[in-house]
Structures are given as structure tokens and as C-alpha cells.
């Protein structure tokens, strides 16, 4: 018996959205019919593709089907390529869950007014802000992003990411 409630085989394909091209797998219609897309247009899930862990979302394609983007690291680690058939297994994740990195948890726990404003944000907005801090690669960048996120939450605006030129420090 599998740990995952849903399982199927799909081809790794390219999915185009406007001018962007994503590597993706498509959800079979029979499984999509069992999922609560009426309540959530996108459904977050936790699972495996080709036996490698993935946390992603089933997103509408615009033509009545749903897809999940597959990142380059998973593709490389699983040694899969476009056109390969892959086993996809997943469970739905709590749709409002947000993984908050420890520096942000600390800031929220030590500043009650910040916590109140944070809790008023939508789960998607909180996920994006948390990811901004969690994806930083150096302690210096973590601190800079944490300051920007705290300021943004206090002001009720989204932080504007600053992109450094190649070769220059952020």
C-alpha cells in the first residue's frame, strides 16, 4: 500500500504559458475529477515524481486540464528528460499551510504587532514573503531580505526585489 493517495504515470513535457516554457506533468482527468478544484483553482500537493520529492501545485492550463511544474533540480537528480514517462504520486497538502523560515518565525514571535499584520495576509502572500527569506543563500542576504519582508508587512506592501548585476554582490 502506497503512502500516497493518488498515483499515475505521465510524460514529462514542456508546457507554454505566454512566452514562458515550463517542464511539467499533466494530471489525468480521472484524478482531477476527484479533487476539490471548485474550492481552490490551484491545489498544493506533496509527493514524488520519479521517486524524488516534490512540493508543488496543480495549476489550471486554461483548457480544462491541470499541470504541475517540475524544476530543473528534480529533473537532473532523477535523471529524466523530456518525453520520459515518470511515476507521479501525491497527497494534497493543507491549502493554507506556510513554511516559515526560523529568522522570520523569531521576528514574528518577538513583535506582536508584526504577527497581527502577518496573520491578516493571504496564505499565498505569506508563502511568497517566507520564500523570499528562505531562498537566500548567505546569512547577509537572509538578513537583508528579512528586513525587507518585515518592512513590507508593516507597511502593507510587497517588497520590491532588487536584482544585483552579475558579478556584483547583492
Amino acid at each position: 500500500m502506497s503512502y500516497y493517495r493518488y498515483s499515475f504515470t505521465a510524460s514529462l513535457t514542456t508546457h507554454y504559458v505566454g512566452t514562458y516554457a515550463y517542464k511539467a506533468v499533466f494530471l489525468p482527468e480521472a484524478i482531477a475529477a476527484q479533487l476539490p478544484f471548485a474550492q481552490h483553482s490551484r491545489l498544493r500537493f506533496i509527493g514524488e515524481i520519479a521517486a524524488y520529492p516534490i512540493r508543488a501545485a496543480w495549476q489550471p492550463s486554461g483548457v480544462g486540464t491541470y499541470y504541475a511544474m517540475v524544476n530543473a533540480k528534480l529533473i537532473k537528480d532523477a535523471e529524466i528528460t523530456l518525453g520520459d514517462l515518470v511515476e507521479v504520486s501525491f497527497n494534497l497538502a493543507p491549502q493554507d499551510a506556510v513554511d516559515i523560515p526560523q529568522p522570520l518565525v523569531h521576528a514574528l514571535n518577538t513583535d506582536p504587532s508584526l504577527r497581527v499584520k502577518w496573520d491578516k495576509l493571504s496564505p499565498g502572500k505569506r508563502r511568497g514573503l517566507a520564500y523570499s527569506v528562505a531562498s537566500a543563500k548567505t546569512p547577509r542576504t537572509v538578513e537583508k531580505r528579512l528586513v525587507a519582508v518585515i518592512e513590507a508587512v508593516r507597511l502593507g506592501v510587497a517588497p520590491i526585489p532588487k536584482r544585483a548585476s552579475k558579478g556584483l554582490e547583492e
Side-chain angles (χ1 to χ4, degrees), residues 27-37 43 64-66:
L27 187 63
E29 289 181 24
I31 294 177
Q34 300 173 44
L35 301 177
F37 285 111
L43 289 173
T65 58
Y66 296 89

Side-chain angles (χ1 to χ4, degrees), residues 44 59 69 83 119 127 133 162 166:
R44 298 174 54 76
Q59 303 181 66
M69 291 185 276
D119 289 343
R127 269 192 294 277
V133 176
K162 294 180 182 176
K166 285 203 177 234

Side-chain angles (χ1 to χ4, degrees), residues 35-59:
L35 301 177
F37 285 111
Q39 289 84 23
H40 303 279
S41 61
R42 290 173 173 78
L43 289 173
R44 298 174 54 76
F45 69 89
I46 300 169
E48 295 178 352
I49 293 181
Y52 283 81
I54 185 169
R55 296 173 70 97
W58 295 114
Q59 303 181 66

